[in-house]
Amino acid sequence: MSVLEAPSALERPFAAGPRIGLALGGGGARGLAHIHVLAAFDDLGVKPRCIAGSSIGALIGAAYAGGMSAAEIEEYVVDHLGKRRLVLGHLWRTRAASFADFLADGGMRLGQLNAERVLTEFLPIGMPRTFESLSLPLTVTATRFYGACGCGVSSGDLVSALAASIALPAVFRPVRRDGQVLIDGGICNPLPYDLLAGMCDLTVAVDVTGPPEAPEGPEPMPSPVDTMLGSSQLMMHSIIETRRAHAPPDLLIRPPVSNYRVLDFLRVAVILAETAHVRESAKRDVAALCEAAARR
């Protein structure tokens, strides 16, 4: 752009604009599309005032709140999730080191991984380990197994909070934090824009749930795993729709991710490539939201 050209609405920064709170929802590998929304914020020069995240949204939100750009997050997930052998190597290193550790870890739990160990293995080196060390205020959701309610965590140890937020029962064992047994935050609050109330002027929420997408022709019978994980997405989608009918966010972004499975992390490059258009549409929507707020 030459010095004689004025920047367009999609290029000039909105640093002095309204305070935006960003909510990133749960959805497993579908949540990789969150990265494109963060890239739209980076393109506009808009920095969220605060972030709330659930499950995969909590992980990506924590990386962004920890100082990584959208481009850096994308590069990291492609490098660390796109190679089967590397992923299996990381998972192998999360095993209990001894039989005593195995028993202390809960013993035999078929198919359930230790979320804290997995995160310790996969999180970027140098990423802050406490909420207080983050560059942006972050709240992540978890569900109290014995309290039958959701909760927002925004202080103290970051890894255990993130582990609780991603602890989908079909994949991870529950997490004990501060004496409470916690499981996946998406069970009670899959899109936590309500947790941003009072901290911002506008809320932008990114929903990556959705009903399973059937191929053309007769509907196939899903596998037990697909049934279990697909049911969780249906439940989360229903919760979001109920809450949205009562109190919607100022802007809802829904990347088209229904044709990806919850555990399709090895398809990271495909998911990012096929949802890349979300970056431009999110940029237009966020810019319009900021300009509309500035005119009020």
Side-chain angles (χ1 to χ4, degrees), residues 35-183:
I35 296 171
H36 297 311
V37 178
L38 296 179
F41 273 78
D42 287 348
D43 290 344
L44 292 170
V46 175
K47 186 65 68 174
R49 170 65 179 81
C50 47
I51 299 174
S54 179
S55 198
I56 184 67
L59 288 180
I60 293 179
Y64 196 66
M68 295 179 72
S69 67
E72 290 169 336
I73 296 172
E74 178 172 350
E75 180 181 9
Y76 187 86
V77 297
V78 169
D79 287 345
H80 288 77
L81 297 179
K83 301 172 184 175
R84 183 182 298 272
R85 181 175 296 181
L86 181 60
V87 171
L88 291 177
H90 280 306
L91 292 176
W92 175 253
R93 287 191 290 273
T94 67
R95 72 192 189 281
S98 66
F99 187 67
D101 288 343
F102 171 73
L103 293 178
D105 212 21
M108 181 62 72
R109 291 172 176 264
L110 186 62
Q112 286 189 313
L113 301 170
N114 183 308
E116 291 183 80
R117 288 184 181 175
V118 170
L119 285 186
T120 299
E121 186 66 31
F122 278 92
L123 286 176
I125 295 173
M127 182 171 168
R129 290 306 194 256
T130 65
F131 283 89
E132 290 77 12
S133 300
L134 297 172
S135 302
L136 296 171
L138 173 71
T139 303
V140 305
T141 65
T143 300
R144 290 185 58 195
F145 184 77
Y146 291 107
C149 64
C151 61
V153 185
S154 57
S155 63
D157 180 69
L158 181 61
V159 175
S160 62
L162 294 175
S165 193
I166 70 169
L168 183 65
V171 181
F172 296 107
R173 65 196 61 180
V175 173
R176 189 181 298 276
R177 188 181 194 275
D178 297 334
Q180 297 179 340
V181 176
L182 304 175
I183 58 176

